[in-house]
Amino acid sequence: MFLTGPLSMFAMLMTYPDEGPSPRPCVTPMVLFSLPLLFAVLALRLALPALKGSPRGSGNWSAAAVSLCICGLVFALALGPALDAIGLF
C-alpha cells in the first residue's frame, strides 16, 4: 500500500470534482488496493498446494498458513473501503 498510495492520491484528485459527489467513487480504493490484492492472490495460489503437500507442523505448512492469514487480512482491509466508496456499506 505504500507503493500504491501516491497513485491512489492522484486517482482521487483526478476523479473527485471540486463540488458535488464523484461519479466514480470506486476508483481510489481499486488503485490503492490493486497491488496488495495482486500479491494476496499470488500468495493464495502458492499457499494452497503447500498446505496440501506438506506435513502438518513443517516449515512449509506454517509459512503457507501465515500466508493465508495475511491474504484474508488484506482482503478484509480492501473490502471495507471499496464497499464504502461504492455506497453499498
Side-chain angles (χ1 to χ4, degrees):
M1 288 182 6
F2 291 113
L3 297 174
T4 57
L7 292 175
S8 68
M9 285 186 243
F10 181 72
M12 185 172 56
L13 286 174
M14 298 306 287
T15 57
Y16 279 74
D18 291 337
E19 65 280 330
S22 171
R24 295 178 295 274
C26 62
V27 172
T28 302
M30 284 189 337
V31 172
L32 181 63
F33 292 110
S34 62
L35 191 62
L37 285 178
L38 175 67
F39 287 138
V41 169
L42 290 174
L44 182 68
R45 174 76 173 107
L46 295 172
L48 289 177
L51 280 176
K52 289 180 183 177
S54 299
R56 190 179 186 101
S58 68
N60 290 342
W61 192 89
S62 37
V66 168
S67 173
L68 288 176
C69 291
I70 291 172
C71 287
L73 181 66
V74 167
F75 180 76
L77 287 175
L79 187 64
L83 289 179
D84 185 40
I86 294 173
L88 297 176
F89 201 28

